[in-house]
Amino acid sequence: MRYSYKALDINGNEVSGEIDAEKKEEVGTWLSDRNYIVIDIVPAPIQTLVNTHKKRIRISHKDMNFFLIQLSNLISAGCPLLMSLTALYKQVSNYSLRILLKEIKEKIESGKSFSEALKNHREVFPSLFITMVEVGEVGGMLGEVLERYSYIYDTMYKLGKKIIQAMIYPLFLLISSLVVVIALLVYVFPQFVEGTKRTGHELPGLTLFVLNVSNFISHHYLIIISVIVGLILIWKLIMSTTKGKQLVTQFFTEFPILGDVIKQIQIALFARILGTLLRCGVPILTSLQAVEKALSNVMYKKAMVEVRESVSRGESLSQSIGRYRNLFPESIILMTDVGERSGNMGEMLEKAGNIYERDMEMALETAVSLLQPALVVFLAIFIVIIALSMYLPLFDIGKIVG
């Protein structure tokens, strides 16, 4: 839900804006973390929501990754923000990104800060990025903050590409297997059996079973399609509810091998994002809220909400995540505890993020290396069954002739 707010900054100047949040209290916490004195927080007008929807701009991951890396390089090299945005505007070829850069540049030229200009495009820029830009502007380290976020975004982008690339061959193999299976059952097998029936010999049990399956697919394909569509609708219905999504997520998270990959991804994101935010000087509660929004797994999101509440009551982060040892391994809890005691928790968590990113890649490679042979074995078993069901009648005929 979108909220409109009015507040006073540390100089007593009135500031206003809009922000997306689940609860009104989250907006208050967000403002308090930035040393704003809250005047009023109300739901945004419907007209604002409609206008925001109309202005929505879509930027691909590839173009956004290019924008972040180039902008961080320009700022770090000492190039002023407006000059950097102008240079990127002239350089990029993506039409949507050019429109976006033009609007941001015009907002900054009218007197708004970079972070305020970004808030008009929350459908493009996540809360994590806007928060880090605000910290960079206040602390005078915008270049460093952009560089750190570009690394996080680049890491997440590469992670997504690795997962997609790892699944291309298994999916291709699975689809090819299904096509071969359907072709054999629907077209090849029935013609062979029809020719065998003309000899007058009784068909073996395996051949009859495969023939019945073939006839069912051929004559009841509408029922099969209806069942598949029904299962998809049921899946969407389950995933549309919080309880259903939690149960499905819990099932896959605890599933052998696949669950390890899911946990490694979430832990790597948790450590990397939280460590970066803390090193940039973002308050712990704001950092945990940003991490919660960045994580995709429902179980980890729920855990982060409860961890943030525990930390707000004065409990240490290591103690809070220690209650979720089914989600957070001992090593991450230990490194968090060491970071708290030594006063460099951000650095420790970033190191942990590097470690778990490597572990995640290994877990992903292991899962894919097991999936591919499993699909090959499935296809081989099916072809053997088809071959036996076709050759058994021939063997019987050969025995009679002999």
Side-chain angles (χ1 to χ4, degrees):
M1 185 173 181
R2 182 175 288 268
Y3 290 91
S4 297
Y5 65 84
K6 291 182 180 180
L8 298 176
D9 61 16
I10 55 176
N11 297 319
N13 300 318
E14 184 174 312
V15 294
S16 61
E18 296 180 354
I19 185 173
D20 292 321
E22 294 183 2
K23 301 177 182 177
K24 185 177 179 180
E25 290 75 14
E26 290 185 6
V27 183
T29 303
W30 185 85
L31 292 168
S32 299
D33 288 339
R34 289 155 182 77
N35 298 318
Y36 290 141
I37 300 174
V38 179
I39 298 177
D40 189 26
I41 302 174
V42 296
I46 296 177
Q47 186 63 36
T48 304
L49 298 178
V50 173
N51 292 338
T52 301
H53 179 73
K54 289 182 179 178
K55 292 172 60 179
R56 182 162 295 178
I57 299 174
R58 297 292 184 186
I59 307 295
S60 68
H61 287 291
K62 183 179 180 181
D63 290 325
M64 182 60 71
N65 195 42
F66 171 82
F67 162 70
L68 292 170
I69 292 174
Q70 294 299 321
L71 182 61
S72 64
N73 289 338
L74 289 169
I75 298 294
S76 298
C79 187
L81 177 61
L82 270 174
M83 189 181 295
S84 300
L85 292 173
T86 302
L88 287 173
Y89 172 77
K90 294 178 179 179
Q91 185 178 0
V92 298
S93 58
N94 182 279
Y95 179 73
S96 297
L97 185 54
R98 285 175 64 87
I99 292 176
L100 184 65
L101 290 174
K102 183 181 179 182
E103 291 185 10
I104 292 173
K105 191 163 69 73
E106 289 174 351
K107 292 288 183 182
I108 296 174
E109 288 172 340
S110 67
K112 288 186 175 290
S113 66
F114 187 27
S115 58
E116 288 175 327
L118 294 174
K119 289 175 186 176
N120 293 320
H121 302 283
R122 290 184 177 276
E123 74 282 358
V124 177
F125 299 103
S127 299
L128 174 62
F129 178 62
I130 297 174
T131 299
M132 292 182 69
V133 169
E134 283 182 316
V135 172
E137 289 175 327
V138 174
M141 52 179 183
L142 183 59
E144 180 184 351
V145 165
L146 287 172
E147 186 177 355
R148 288 182 178 277
Y149 182 81
S150 66
Y151 180 79
I152 292 176
Y153 189 89
D154 188 45
T155 301
M156 295 172 68
Y157 175 68
K158 288 179 179 177
L159 172 61
K161 284 188 67 176
K162 284 180 181 177
I163 293 174
I164 293 173
Q165 289 173 354
M167 294 305 297
I168 286 177
Y169 179 71
L171 284 174
F172 174 77
L173 190 60
L174 179 61
I175 293 172
S176 301
S177 301
L178 290 175
V179 171
V180 171
V181 166
I182 293 173
L184 288 173
L185 285 176
V186 176
Y187 298 105
V188 179
F189 188 76
Q191 293 180 7
F192 171 81
V193 171
E194 190 64 29
T196 306
K197 280 183 177 180
R198 293 195 188 102
T199 62
H201 296 287
E202 185 178 349
L203 297 175
L206 180 62
T207 306
L208 286 173
F209 171 75
V210 176
L211 180 62
N212 290 332
V213 173
S214 174
N215 290 334
F216 182 81
I217 294 175
S218 301
H219 298 98
H220 301 89
Y221 61 92
L222 291 178
I223 296 177
I224 296 173
I225 294 174
S226 300
V227 170
I228 293 173
V229 172
L231 290 174
I232 293 173
L233 293 176
I234 292 172
W235 172 265
K236 288 186 175 180
L237 181 62
I238 292 173
M239 295 302 291
S240 64
T241 63
T242 304
K243 186 65 176 177
K245 189 182 293 184
Q246 186 174 344
L247 289 173
V248 171
T249 304
Q250 184 175 356
F251 171 78
F252 284 111
T253 304
E254 296 176 355
F255 202 80
I257 302 176
L258 178 61
D260 292 337
V261 176
I262 294 173
K263 288 180 181 179
Q264 296 288 356
I265 292 172
Q266 298 301 307
I267 294 169
L269 289 175
F270 162 79
R272 170 66 65 187
I273 294 173
L274 183 57
T276 300
L277 290 172
L278 292 177
R279 290 196 68 179
C280 289
V282 181
I284 181 67
L285 293 179
T286 305
S287 300
L288 290 172
Q289 187 176 21
V291 172
E292 174 203 336
K293 293 180 179 179
L295 297 179
S296 58
N297 187 286
V298 178
M299 293 177 65
Y300 279 89
K301 290 174 78 73
K302 183 181 178 182
M304 291 311 304
V305 172
E306 296 176 4
V307 165
R308 182 159 55 90
E309 291 176 354
S310 299
V311 173
S312 66
R313 293 194 297 266
E315 196 172 82
S316 68
L317 179 61
S318 57
Q319 288 177 323
S320 300
I321 64 175
R323 294 196 181 93
Y324 301 93
R325 296 181 187 273
N326 61 320
L327 301 178
F328 297 95
E330 290 292 337
S331 56
I332 196 75
I333 298 172
L334 177 61
M335 294 183 77
T336 304
D337 183 53
V338 172
E340 287 173 331
R341 295 177 188 276
S342 61
N344 61 346
M345 184 165 61
E347 183 179 351
M348 291 296 293
L349 285 172
E350 280 194 330
K351 290 180 179 178
N354 288 329
I355 294 171
Y356 280 99
E357 282 169 11
R358 290 195 297 268
D359 291 345
M360 178 274 302
E361 291 178 3
M362 293 177 62
L364 183 61
E365 289 176 1
T366 301
V368 173
S369 64
L370 292 174
L371 179 61
Q372 292 176 359
L375 290 175
V376 172
V377 170
F378 164 76
L379 181 59
I381 291 174
F382 181 80
I383 291 176
V384 167
I385 293 174
I386 295 293
L388 285 174
S389 62
M390 293 174 68
Y391 281 106
L392 283 176
L394 295 179
F395 291 154
D396 292 342
I397 294 172
K399 288 178 182 178
I400 294 172
V401 174

